[in-house]
């Protein structure tokens, strides 16, 4: 079947069919934190009677480790977590991302940018804006068309034009975190859609893929909650449905930082997959279960349904 294109996208919110996903980056094998996200997204799909898909987010090719995608799929399978459809890899979907970018450009919602990181830092300093530690610099709109555009400089990247005024203040409801709000213009600025190295930015790729795969619910780690307002703006700009979101608690390392491959998180030891699953379930607040992997997953699905799809959750089991 041919890949869908943006003009063919039809709203999925009216179909009533739940479609969730787990979307790991193949920068190494799964660790305890990524198994928590995988299990939570799988349980939510099963509790809704829906589909669970796996997508390999390998758009950032320099960071990808050869063979890691295969290892991740094997680790998931050992835990009883198998995709309900073909596994999609972002690295083969550049044409779709280009179509989405072209659509934004034609609508006046994306523009080329010639600024380097140093240029942005200097512009912020001149404007008297200090960059918060551990936060990316807020892009000041230097290359916006109304500010003179590229001014003869070569384009390095493409940026999304964040709405001006109140429209930049995105409100959304997370099923676990509750009401959320972010002023994307003030806190992020016009963000990158295609990077200076020619690679597609995560924000565009994830929105395109979620829309074309018909994803209705996104369950992922809380560290990604900050990305949600940008993705909602892109969904609205591209005419794509806005999924429902649930961000799970993070697994922390000994130093209190998020457990990740970057800070030395160890690969899952799946000689005893039941134990790894049990620890992930415990982190999600689920009770210990005995039996085979299938029996434990079935029990945790019941627990998840009672917690997140109960009469006061605002969710229906489908």
């Amino acid at each position: 079947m041919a890949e869908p294109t943006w003009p063919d996208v039809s709203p999925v919110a009216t179909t009533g069919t739940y479609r969730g996903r787990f979307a790991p980056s193949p920068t190494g094998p799964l660790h305890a934190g990524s198994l928590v996200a995988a299990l939570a997204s799988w349980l939510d799909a099963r509790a809704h009677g829906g589909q669970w898909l796996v997508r390999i987010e390998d758009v950032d090719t320099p960071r990808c480790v050869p063979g890691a995608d295969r290892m991740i799929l094997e680790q998931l399978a050992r835990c009883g977590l198998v995709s309900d459809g073909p596994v999609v890899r972002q690295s083969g979907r550049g044409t779709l991302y280009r179509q989405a970018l072209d659509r934004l450009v034609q609508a006046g919602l994306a523009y080329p940018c010639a600024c380097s990181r140093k240029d942005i830092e200097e512009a912020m300093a001149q404007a008297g804006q200090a960059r918060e530690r551990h936060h990316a610099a807020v892009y000041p709109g230097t290359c916006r068309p109304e500010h003179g555009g590229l001014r003869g400089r070569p384009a390095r990247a493409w940026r999304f034009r964040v709405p001006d005024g109140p429209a930049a203040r995105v409100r959304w409801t997370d099923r676990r975190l509750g009401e959320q709000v972010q002023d994307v213009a003030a806190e992020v600025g016009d963000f990158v859609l295609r990077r200076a190295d020619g690679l597609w930015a995560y924000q565009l790729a994830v929105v395109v893929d979620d829309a074309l795969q018909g994803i209705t619910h996104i369950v992922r780690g809380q560290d990604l909650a900050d990305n949600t307002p940008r993705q909602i703006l892109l969904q609205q700009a591209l005419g794509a449905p806005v999924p429902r979101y649930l961000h799970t608690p993070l697994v922390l390392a000994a130093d209190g930082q998020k457990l990740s491959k970057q800070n030395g998180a160890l690969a899952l030891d799946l000689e005893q997959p039941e134990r790894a699953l049990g620890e992930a379930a415990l982190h999600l607040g689920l009770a210990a279960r005995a039996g085979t992997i299938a029996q434990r997953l079935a029990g945790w699905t019941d627990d998840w349904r009672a917690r997140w799809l109960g009469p006061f959750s605002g969710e229906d089991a489908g």
Side-chain angles (χ1 to χ4, degrees):
M1 185 174 65
E3 286 278 15
T5 59
W6 267 102
D8 297 325
V9 174
S10 57
V12 297
T14 59
T15 66
T17 301
Y18 179 109
R19 286 170 70 88
R21 49 74 162 177
F22 175 58
S25 298
T27 55
L30 295 180
H31 55 74
S34 44
L35 182 59
V36 166
L39 178 61
S41 60
W42 188 92
L43 291 173
D44 202 55
R46 289 295 178 265
H48 281 86
Q51 293 181 309
W52 183 74
L53 305 176
V54 175
R55 180 171 71 230
I56 300 297
E57 296 200 333
D58 57 354
V59 70
D60 192 353
T61 50
R63 295 182 58 239
C64 295
V65 175
D69 56 340
R70 183 175 62 255
M71 185 182 303
I72 288 171
L73 295 175
E74 291 173 355
Q75 289 177 303
L76 290 172
R78 291 208 63 185
C79 293
L81 311 178
V82 179
S83 180
D84 293 322
V87 175
V88 166
R89 289 171 170 78
Q90 288 183 331
S91 54
R93 294 166 70 83
T95 298
L96 297 172
Y97 307 146
R98 165 56 70 183
Q99 291 170 348
L101 177 59
D102 289 345
R103 181 168 173 173
L104 293 171
V105 171
Q106 292 166 9
L109 297 175
Y111 61 90
C113 175
C115 296
S116 65
R117 291 183 181 179
K118 182 179 179 181
D119 293 334
I120 298 171
E121 296 277 3
E122 290 177 349
M124 289 184 65
Q126 291 174 3
Q129 298 175 341
R131 180 168 69 86
E132 292 185 44
R133 189 179 181 187
H134 304 309
H135 284 73
V138 177
Y139 184 67
T142 305
C143 292
R144 278 192 171 196
E146 66 267 31
H147 295 161
L150 297 175
R151 296 188 181 88
R153 298 177 296 168
R156 292 171 49 85
W158 285 84
R159 292 183 179 272
F160 177 74
R161 183 185 178 112
V162 173
D164 298 317
R169 193 171 177 82
V170 178
R171 296 181 182 274
W172 56 285
T173 303
D174 185 89
R175 292 165 55 199
R176 171 176 166 262
L177 301 175
E179 295 296 322
Q180 304 290 306
V181 61
Q182 183 186 84
D183 188 328
V184 181
E187 299 180 43
V188 179
D190 295 348
F191 53 89
V192 172
L193 302 174
R194 192 167 194 179
R195 300 175 0 181
D197 57 9
L199 296 178
W200 295 102
Y202 163 77
Q203 305 295 353
L204 179 66
V206 73
V207 167
V208 169
D209 290 334
D210 285 339
L212 293 180
Q213 289 189 280
I215 301 301
T216 61
H217 290 65
I218 293 174
V219 178
R220 59 188 182 184
Q222 187 172 332
D223 57 315
L224 294 172
D226 183 69
N227 289 290
T228 305
R230 278 169 277 179
Q231 292 166 14
I232 290 174
L233 287 178
L234 275 176
Q235 289 155 358
Q236 293 171 341
L238 289 166
V242 177
R244 293 214 63 187
Y245 290 90
L246 188 157
H247 289 86
T248 61
L250 298 180
V251 178
L252 303 180
D255 61 0
Q257 299 297 310
K258 171 202 167 188
L259 189 67
S260 69
K261 298 161 191 171
Q262 286 72 33
N263 66 11
L266 297 177
L268 283 174
D269 179 3
L270 291 182
E271 289 300 316
Q272 296 179 303
E274 297 89 349
R275 178 176 178 178
L277 278 170
E279 291 175 351
L282 180 64
H283 190 78
L284 292 169
L286 304 176
R289 291 277 180 175
T292 66
I293 287 179
Q295 290 170 335
R296 296 179 193 215
L297 289 174
W300 288 323
T301 299
D302 291 339
D303 295 342
W304 190 274
R305 184 181 296 111
R307 171 173 296 186
W308 296 110
L309 281 75
F312 304 106
S313 69
E315 287 283 315
D316 296 319

